[in-house]
Amino acid sequence: MRLTLGLLCLLCTPVLAAPPASVTVRSLDSVVLHPVREAPAQVVSLNLAKLSAEIAARIDRIPVEPGQRIARHAVVAELDCGDARLAAERAEAALASAQARLNLARQQLLRNSELAARNFISSDALDARKTEVDVVAADVKVSQAAANSARRDVGKCTVRSPFTAIVEARLAQVGEWANPGTPLVQVWDTSRLQLAVQLQAADAEALSDARFVSQGRESAVKLLRVSPALNPSARTREARFTFVGSPPAPGSHGVLRWRDPRAWLPADYLIRRGNALGTFIAVDGVARFVALPGAQEGRPALATALPRNARLVADGRLALQDGMKLTVH
């Protein structure tokens, strides 16, 4: 009987609720990090060109030296132009001869047309004169094309840079014989310099306020594009930037440095509950566990899963469980 009464007393006694956990909270904005990231980068030219001879001739002069800056259309090589000029003179003479024959044929056609109008010659003879004019006119066009080609060959005796450039190397020597396609000078195009950067795939979408740093010098850059192709060995993607101001020399190596615009939660705020890593936030006096996808122990985690106005539990978070009442200090 006494045991039964004791059990009844225990059942009738109200259960005392656990006291709320005492914690401190901080705003998400005051905690998150925006780490500075780096990636290897190199200044590249869209054109590293080998300027070559277009005619067969002896090299008379190469007036540029390696490392020299040259303007667009600057002379980089001169070839012996004697044979080309003689060929041009022959072509001009052939053109003048063809034009003279055409003038004569037209005069003869005019006279024959007058005679045919008075029935002094047959229509067949008149047609023959017309055909002769057409044939000689075609010869004039052929001679004109040959003269134009010869003039172009004379112009090819002087090799010029097609862009503002830096001379990389002399590839031939004065006095050598050059054939069409013989490389003479190699130049960097400095009018179209870009920055090539190898980025981790995860960083390719988080570039902000980037700068190129090389030998203590910083250069502002602007993103042009990020390649969608992934390097199969390095697992990186190439990004190309253009320079906002004066660019460094082509071939310069350095790093691209930028501040990650994404919010990262410091590693010491991460707590494991079950199989998930996350953190606790205070919501209406209650602890709520928020799992952070992709989080790794000992490393900052992306805070994209947390509300922008989240109140992170700072002190007292280690003993919390989801749903516990909180007393915030």
Side-chain angles (χ1 to χ4, degrees):
M1 179 62 70
R2 291 180 179 178
L3 178 61
T4 302
L5 291 174
L7 291 174
L8 289 174
C9 291
L10 289 175
L11 291 174
C12 295
T13 302
V15 178
L16 296 177
S22 178
V23 298
T24 61
V25 297
R26 297 184 63 183
S27 66
L28 179 64
D29 290 339
S30 66
V31 171
V32 294
L33 308 172
H34 294 279
V36 175
R37 299 194 178 277
E38 292 184 350
Q42 181 181 13
V43 182
V44 298
S45 173
L46 294 186
N47 293 303
L48 177 57
K50 293 180 179 179
L51 305 183
S52 304
E54 297 184 65
I55 61 172
R58 180 174 52 82
I59 302 172
D60 273 352
R61 193 166 73 98
I62 300 179
V64 295
E65 300 291 339
Q68 181 179 345
R69 290 184 179 271
I70 57 176
R72 185 183 182 191
H73 301 317
V75 176
V76 298
E78 290 183 348
L79 307 177
D80 180 8
C81 211
D83 292 341
R85 288 194 177 93
L86 289 174
E89 290 175 3
R90 287 194 297 268
E92 293 288 352
L95 175 60
S97 175
Q99 289 175 335
R101 288 187 287 110
L102 179 60
N103 292 336
L104 177 60
R106 285 172 174 169
Q107 290 174 3
Q108 291 175 342
L109 175 60
L110 180 60
R111 287 195 295 269
N112 280 263
S113 297
E114 294 173 352
L115 293 174
R118 290 180 287 174
N119 295 320
F120 286 140
I121 63 172
S122 66
S123 58
D124 290 341
L126 181 62
D127 290 341
R129 287 297 180 186
K130 291 179 179 179
T131 301
E132 183 180 359
V133 169
D134 292 339
V135 171
V136 178
D139 289 342
V140 169
K141 290 183 179 179
V142 172
S143 298
Q144 182 68 64
N148 291 341
S149 178
R151 292 190 200 105
R152 280 179 54 84
D153 285 345
V154 171
K156 293 173 183 177
C157 294
T158 301
V159 181
R160 300 178 181 273
S161 174
F163 35 66
T164 304
I166 295 176
V167 179
E168 171 71 11
R170 290 170 49 141
L171 305 177
Q173 302 297 323
V174 173
E176 292 181 343
W177 183 263
N179 289 308
T182 299
L184 304 175
V185 177
Q186 182 167 284
V187 295
W188 291 93
D189 179 2
T190 58
S191 64
R192 302 188 68 189
L193 295 180
Q194 293 183 358
L195 187 68
V197 185
Q198 299 300 320
L199 296 172
Q200 296 298 320
D203 291 332
E205 308 299 331
L207 299 171
S208 177
D209 192 25
R211 303 184 74 81
F212 174 60
V213 183
S214 176
Q215 297 180 346
R217 174 188 172 186
E218 290 192 0
S219 302
V221 293
K222 179 181 178 182
L223 179 65
L224 290 176
R225 59 190 170 275
V226 178
S227 173
L230 193 66
N231 186 308
S233 57
R235 309 301 296 172
T236 58
R237 294 164 65 183
E238 183 177 82
R240 286 294 181 102
F241 294 77
T242 185
F243 290 93
V244 176
S246 176
S252 298
H253 286 267
V255 295
L256 181 75
R257 186 173 294 162
W258 74 98
R259 185 174 298 278
D260 196 329
R262 299 170 298 179
W264 292 78
L265 190 67
D268 56 357
Y269 274 82
L270 296 179
I271 298 173
R272 181 173 294 279
R273 290 295 181 265
N275 294 325
L277 272 176
T279 192
F280 279 99
I281 63 174
V283 180
D284 297 331
V286 176
R288 294 301 179 191
F289 179 76
V290 179
L292 300 178
Q296 300 178 23
E297 290 189 20
R299 303 184 64 179
L302 272 175
T304 51
L306 294 170
R308 292 292 301 273
N309 60 348
R311 300 167 69 209
L312 297 176
V313 178
D315 298 328
R317 63 184 180 276
L318 297 179
L320 293 180
Q321 295 294 333
D322 188 65
M324 287 182 64
K325 297 290 186 179
L326 301 176
T327 299
V328 177
H329 295 286

